[in-house]
Amino acid sequence: MARVNEHYLKLSAGYLFPEIGRRVRAFAEANPAAKIVRLGIGDVTRPLPPAVLKAFHDAVSELGEEKTFMGYGPEQGYGFLIDTIIEKAYAPLGIRLKPSEIFVSDGSKCDTANILDIFALDNRVAIADPVYPVYNDTNVMVGRSGPPDERGYYQGIVYLPCTEGNGFFPALPKERVDIVYLCSPNNPTGMVADARQLKMWVDYALANDAVIFYDAAYEAFITEPGYPHSIYEIEGAGRCAIEFRSFSKTAGFTGVRCAFAVVPEEVSAKTPSGDRVPLNRLWNRRQTTKFNGVSYPVQKAAAAVYSAEGWRQTMETIEYYMGNAGVIREGLKSAGFTVYGGVNAPYIWLKTPGGISSWEFFDKLLTGCHVVGTPGSGFGPSGEGFFRLSAFGSRDDIAEAVERIRKNY
Ligand code: MLT
């Protein structure tokens, strides 16, 4: 008799964003005249930068010619993209990486989930609360937790509340942990970590032989100078951290799919008998076995993001989204809302008015203003009483949404 992976049954019925989608579709069907503004899931709306699109087209054409056709590429990614990443994304930060330390993939969502393959189940994992739900749910799926308690905390996972009181940055845990997920700029709170905060975690990881999973998918949205764009800007991180970056939000690749993980050769973990094994070796083994790489045209398009033209166009789009973030932030602030984020990240984290619950506010916003956002509690118990708005819409839609919210509250 085939049996299911019972750990899946511990999870709440649906993943957060499809659940929101379901509720919005039901509302739209019942109210066909409503012009709904969607600021829920952080999905980009601006087209690909022209220089990126051209590289994409050219590479597709190459596949149509016998002389330039390609089949399987390297599972780790083509050298042209890896070298470009090293030179354009890391060298300017003073970070030196080897090509063998970069693994191109089809997304950071998959990478942050798949990385669990190479870690023993009995590692103690710490995640922030609220958090990008993938970190929590994938640990439950692999069987690292017991059932959730009445608050929604899964037994066996260490939760690090991020609240107004601690500036939405996780404090060090009281108990020892082996793996910690950090995300900066943060999804969902829109806050960015400074070097001192990251150093605290790097020092902790080095002292406790722990590994940091550093999700930097939104680093390109940091607008203020002085904030680290990579964990490797922090001394010692090259010995304890794996970094995840993505072209999704940076360059409009949520549909195209391209990202990469940095697994430095010096980062290692122990076998039960105490031998050290470089994680780079295991990740390489995992990827070459379970993954056949990202398509050639997509990697060509990704490399073009870093061309002079491509980068200028990419930054224009980011400035557009961050302009949207400013409109939401300032508009809601002047309407009396308490708002966070939106300065170095495309997310605004607002306090629900009058202390109503996140889902109650979601319903009010949907039915009263025809605006969709994401309830904070969907990101974890400490997100209760908060609400996330994404800045990835069109400027007109964003202005309209802010106006409707201002009028109704
Ligand atoms: C979000 O809205 O949090 C993101 O779009 C989810 C993701 O990047 O997978």
Side-chain angles (χ1 to χ4, degrees), residues 356-407:
I356 65 171
S357 82
S358 301
W359 277 108
E360 216 178 316
F361 188 64
F362 172 89
D363 287 334
K364 282 201 167 185
L365 224 53
L366 179 59
T367 55
C369 309
H370 304 166
V371 172
V372 181
T374 310
S377 58
F379 298 101
S382 297
E384 184 53 281
F386 287 88
F387 199 78
R388 193 193 78 174
L389 290 173
S390 145
F392 286 116
S394 77
R395 182 65 53 85
D396 287 350
D397 277 358
I398 298 260
E400 168 83 23
V402 171
E403 206 37 48
R404 289 187 203 164
I405 297 172
R406 285 165 58 99
K407 275 202 192 119

Side-chain angles (χ1 to χ4, degrees), residues 86-157:
I86 290 174
E87 186 196 324
K88 304 285 187 175
Y90 287 99
L93 301 176
I95 297 162
R96 289 168 54 168
L97 294 172
K98 296 184 197 159
S100 56
E101 295 177 312
I102 306 236
F103 294 84
V104 176
S105 77
D106 60 348
S108 290
K109 182 184 194 175
C110 332
D111 281 346
T112 55
N114 294 336
I115 195 75
L116 297 179
D117 272 12
I118 63 169
F119 288 89
L121 262 193
D122 59 4
N123 278 297
R124 204 145 171 84
V125 167
I127 61 177
D129 161 36
V131 78
Y132 180 40
V134 172
Y135 313 157
N136 181 73
D137 290 7
T138 55
N139 274 285
V140 175
M141 286 172 173
V142 297
R144 190 165 281 119
S145 80
D149 66 15
E150 66 290 343
R151 291 167 303 173
Y153 281 156
Y154 287 81
Q155 218 176 61
I157 294 178

